[in-house]
């Protein structure tokens, strides 16, 4: 299985995914990393592992659809089976979703459908929930609404800052995302309506 990871920032989830492929926790390879940010550390991580790293500048494209079409060309050329969003800060256009139906995953740092969109960790903290967590889901045309693959809860403590809570969530993400990707690779996920069925044996 050929994986592509799209990332805008630090790329700690990308790193966890690369490590999982090296350890054989994921039976697949990350063959392409794409970023919309020139300085994304995720691109450096890819280069360190001899993975093709591409920066596409959104300013060079007239519309979101044009940008996504350029990304799609790259993904198709490389024969990508699964597109993994890891801290990718752009909303995908329908053109993108239609090009990879049921083959785009995202991770979000809250228990969806609570606290979607930007700043999920801060939103949870501000609301005062005692439990938050992270969600791996398939991507559809709306923000953080696609069928949920895996979720895991994380406690919220009274003295948590956004940073401390995000750190706790991150460490769960680094385990949960590779697990969800491997379930996909093994063909163990089917989608019925907006529900994912996991076929574990
Ligand atoms: C993660 O918390 C993920 O849930 C969210 O963006 C963050 C990316 O972190 N979508 P990193 O770049 O993988 O370190």
């Amino acid at each position: 299985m050929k994986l592509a990871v799209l990332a805008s920032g630090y790329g700690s989830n990308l790193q966890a995914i690369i490590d999982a492929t090296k350890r054989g926790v994921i039976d697949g390879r990350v063959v392409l990393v794409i970023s919309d940010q020139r300085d994304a550390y995720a691109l450096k991580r890819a280069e360190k592992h001899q993975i093709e790293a591409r920066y596409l500048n959104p300013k060079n494209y007239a519309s979101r659809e044009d940008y996504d079409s350029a990304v799609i060309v790259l993904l198709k050329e490389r024969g990508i089976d699964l597109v993994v969003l890891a801290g990718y800060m752009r909303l995908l256009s329908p053109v993108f979703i239609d090009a990879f139906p049921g083959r785009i995953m995202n991770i979000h740092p809250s228990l969806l459908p609570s606290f979607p969109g930007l700043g999920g960790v801060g939103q949870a903290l501000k609301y005062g929930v005692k439990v938050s967590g992270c969600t791996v889901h398939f991507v559809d045309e709306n923000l953080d609404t696609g069928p949920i693959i895996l979720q895991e809860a994380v406690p919220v403590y009274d003295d948590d800052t956004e940073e401390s809570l995000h750190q706790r969530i991150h460490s769960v993400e680094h385990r949960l995302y590779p697990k969800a990707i491997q379930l996909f690779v093994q063909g163990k996920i089917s989608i019925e309506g907006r529900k994912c069925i996991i076929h574990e044996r």
Side-chain angles (χ1 to χ4, degrees):
M1 278 254 176
K2 289 188 186 175
L3 314 176
V5 178
L6 274 53
S8 301
Y10 186 57
S12 68
N13 279 286
L14 166 66
Q15 189 65 55
I17 293 162
I18 294 172
D19 293 347
T21 61
K22 307 255 178 205
R23 287 201 314 270
V25 173
I26 296 174
D27 298 317
R29 278 187 307 135
V30 179
V31 298
L32 177 62
V33 172
I34 299 176
S35 184
D36 60 331
Q37 300 294 324
R38 189 194 301 276
D39 299 327
Y41 189 61
L43 291 173
K44 301 236 161 36
R45 294 184 191 270
E47 283 160 10
K48 274 186 199 161
H49 291 273
Q50 286 83 45
I51 295 167
E52 184 184 5
R54 300 291 290 260
Y55 159 61
L56 294 188
N57 185 349
K59 290 196 181 122
N60 293 341
Y61 300 87
S63 65
R64 181 183 299 278
E65 287 72 21
D66 283 0
Y67 185 87
D68 283 358
S69 299
V71 173
I72 291 164
V73 168
L74 272 178
L75 296 171
K76 296 277 182 191
E77 275 175 5
R78 304 295 181 273
I80 298 302
D81 299 297
L82 177 68
V83 180
V84 178
L85 309 185
Y88 187 61
M89 301 309 282
R90 292 174 67 83
L91 188 62
L92 304 192
S93 64
V95 179
F96 202 142
I97 313 292
D98 292 347
F100 288 89
R103 291 192 290 143
I104 310 171
M105 274 186 198
N106 184 42
I107 189 156
H108 184 76
S110 76
L111 292 176
L112 291 172
S114 289
F115 316 124
L118 270 184
V121 177
Q123 289 181 54
L125 211 53
K126 205 166 162 198
Y127 195 94
V129 293
K130 301 296 186 197
V131 176
S132 191
C134 50
T135 304
V136 183
H137 64 93
F138 285 113
V139 175
D140 65 11
E141 57 285 348
N142 298 309
L143 187 61
D144 299 330
T145 54
I148 290 170
I149 303 164
L150 293 176
Q151 289 187 301
E152 193 169 316
V154 166
V156 181
Y157 301 127
D158 291 345
D159 60 352
D160 261 331
T161 59
E162 198 169 324
E163 201 183 24
S164 65
L165 178 56
H166 204 163
Q167 212 169 54
R168 197 172 309 118
I169 291 173
H170 251 138
S171 61
V172 175
E173 289 185 338
H174 297 160
R175 179 165 42 75
L176 207 65
Y177 217 177
K179 188 174 170 189
I181 293 168
Q182 176 65 352
L183 287 171
F184 179 89
V185 169
Q186 293 176 313
K188 288 184 173 173
I189 310 173
S190 59
I191 307 176
E192 291 178 14
R194 59 154 298 105
K195 192 169 166 183
C196 285
I197 312 290
I198 310 289
H199 307 275
E200 281 280 25
R201 279 198 297 149

